[in-house]
Amino acid sequence: MLYGEHALNDRVSFVFNRMVGDYDDLQDLWYSWLFSRLHFLIAKYTLAHWSPSHRTVLDVGCGTGFQSFLYALTGAEVVGIDIADQLLVVAREKAAQFRTGFPCQLFPAYFNYVNEYDNRIFKVLMPRFASVSFIPPKFEFGDAVSLPYGSETYDHVNCCGSTLSYVANHSAALAEIARVLKPEGSFVLEVEAKYNMDLFWAILDAVALRGALQYDTSVREALRTAFSGTKSHATIRYPFGGPEDPVCMDLKLFERATLRKELSAQGLTVSKCCTIHSATNIIPSTILDNPQPSRFLVRIFSLLASIEERIPFALPGCSLVFFGRKEGRSRNQKRTY
């Protein structure tokens, strides 16, 4: 069941505001790897190609500002928007206290790979941006399907943290991203993927394991998702929160080729697509999303993470990360890359 846009927004805001106390405290393997890997990919494929000149960035679905602060380290003028007002409160508090410097942590490091990625990210950034003036990001309430900004306003748009997967009318959100982006402006988009090992685990959990993996998916829903059409997106009911008090919400899973075509229809050309949680998802996400992983689990995960880093092509993963650019060039506009 898909909620209407306003009802879904209220539900998304409610769910994420409930997470405000531990949103930044990534003690689990699943999300700490997702954001460490994502931030490195942004640094490698986007920020490493920027010059230290003035640039405007819009972070759609900013949460507490993970990527907003990453972009701000390049000297960019960043605006982050979200519909979860409590997360915006935390983001503004962080902006008031944030201190630049290389290396710099975007969230606490509980695992070695988080520190390693922090160092790798800022080794990429330091040669280009060590001397730029840091501008604290601004954080405002805003809806992805109705961005409160003028057309062709931003040099770059970031939309990560699976933001688009929580938007009922994702096509409207894509149109808004294209509208506010300047011609030849760049974008990064990260969404939940449809085909990955987690789909296999959810089916196995529903069909054979009787819910032992806690995916909370019926046999019918699991099979419907898997066989909904190879070129169509899918929507599942996903439980947020602990097993004692879960809040279920519609979560959109995107088919890679179809989303690429939808971006192209908005004049947004994809230059590269990466995946996250491909090899690591040999372990079910419900096991990895645990704030107290055992040492054995950490060792196994670290081995799989190392394999995932070294695969030279994009295996099916739980997250799709698209890098691209808006077509066209305004008169007298100079390329800033």
Side-chain angles (χ1 to χ4, degrees):
M1 171 184 176
L2 272 176
Y3 297 98
E5 195 68 57
H6 292 297
L8 181 61
N9 282 355
D10 290 343
R11 199 164 184 82
V12 171
S13 177
F14 170 75
V15 168
F16 281 92
N17 280 334
R18 282 182 53 173
M19 302 179 187
V20 67
D22 56 6
Y23 191 90
D24 285 1
D25 196 31
L26 305 183
Q27 299 186 47
D28 65 285
L29 295 164
W30 184 263
Y31 287 105
S32 62
W33 175 255
L34 168 63
F35 285 110
S36 291
R37 186 75 177 146
L38 172 63
H39 295 164
F40 173 70
L41 293 174
I42 291 173
K44 180 178 180 180
Y45 294 117
T46 296
L47 305 184
H49 304 282
W50 283 4
S51 60
S53 57
H54 179 264
R55 185 174 283 101
T56 53
V57 174
L58 178 64
D59 187 6
V60 179
C62 63
T64 60
F66 287 169
Q67 291 94 57
S68 296
F69 290 108
L70 176 63
Y71 287 107
L73 288 171
T74 70
E77 184 178 342
V78 184
V79 175
I81 67 164
D82 207 290
I83 60 172
D85 56 338
Q86 294 303 307
L87 297 186
L88 292 173
V89 169
V90 174
R92 291 169 186 142
E93 291 173 350
K94 289 164 63 176
Q97 301 170 2
F98 195 84
R99 297 291 180 268
T100 60
F102 296 94
C104 177
Q105 285 190 335
L106 297 176
F107 56 87
Y110 293 99
F111 307 102
N112 289 335
Y113 59 76
V114 178
N115 281 322
E116 290 171 359
Y117 268 122
D118 283 341
N119 289 324
R120 291 171 67 181
I121 288 167
F122 294 109
K123 282 181 180 178
V124 171
L125 300 185
M126 186 169 62
R128 288 177 174 267
F129 306 111
S131 62
V132 301
S133 298
F134 174 77
I135 305 172
K138 296 179 181 179
F139 295 102
E140 302 173 350
F141 185 89
D143 189 343
V145 301
S146 183
L147 297 175
Y149 307 108
S151 299
E152 300 186 6
T153 303
Y154 289 95
D155 298 300
H156 179 84
V157 174
N158 181 83
C159 184
C160 295
S162 301
T163 295
L164 208 64
S165 292
Y166 302 106
V167 177
N169 188 353
H170 73 275
S171 296
L174 293 179
E176 280 292 271
I177 289 172
R179 181 183 65 80
V180 302
L181 193 59
K182 294 178 182 179
E184 292 215 356
S186 56
F187 67 89
V188 178
L189 175 66
E190 181 261 323
V191 298
E192 301 279 342
K194 179 179 178 181
Y195 294 114
N196 51 66
M197 280 293 294
D198 235 30
L199 179 58
F200 166 78
W201 288 123
I203 294 172
L204 183 65
D205 192 39
V207 173
L209 300 181
R210 298 185 178 182
L213 294 177
Q214 298 182 344
Y215 277 90
D216 294 330
T217 304
S218 67
V219 174
R220 181 179 180 181
E221 183 178 29
L223 294 177
R224 177 178 59 83
T225 302
F227 299 105
S228 58
T230 57
K231 296 300 182 182
S232 63
H233 307 314
T235 301
I236 63 170
R237 296 280 285 159
Y238 190 84
F240 290 82
E244 304 84 10
D245 186 26
V247 177
C248 291
M249 191 165 58
D250 290 328
L251 183 69
K252 191 170 294 183
L253 308 178
F254 288 91
E255 198 282 319
R256 184 188 313 197
T258 300
L259 182 54
R260 183 188 286 261
K261 290 179 180 179
E262 291 174 340
L263 288 165
S264 179
Q266 298 295 341
L268 302 174
T269 301
V270 175
S271 58
K272 189 173 187 64
C273 179
C274 303
T275 59
I276 303 176
H277 282 307
S278 52
T280 51
N281 198 212
I282 290 175
I283 305 172
S285 65
T286 52
I287 294 176
L288 296 176
D289 186 11
N290 182 338
Q292 295 180 321
S294 67
R295 291 183 180 180
F296 176 74
L297 180 59
V298 172
R299 290 194 192 100
I300 297 299
F301 180 86
S302 298
L303 174 61
L304 294 172
S306 179
I307 294 172
E308 183 170 313
E309 288 179 313
R310 287 164 173 77
I311 296 172
F313 50 88
L315 289 174
C318 288
S319 290
L320 297 171
V321 188
F322 292 94
F323 299 86
R325 188 179 297 279
K326 182 177 177 179
E327 298 171 356
R329 178 180 292 186
S330 294
R331 183 176 298 178
N332 299 324
Q333 181 184 354
K334 295 181 179 179
R335 184 186 291 272
T336 57
Y337 296 81

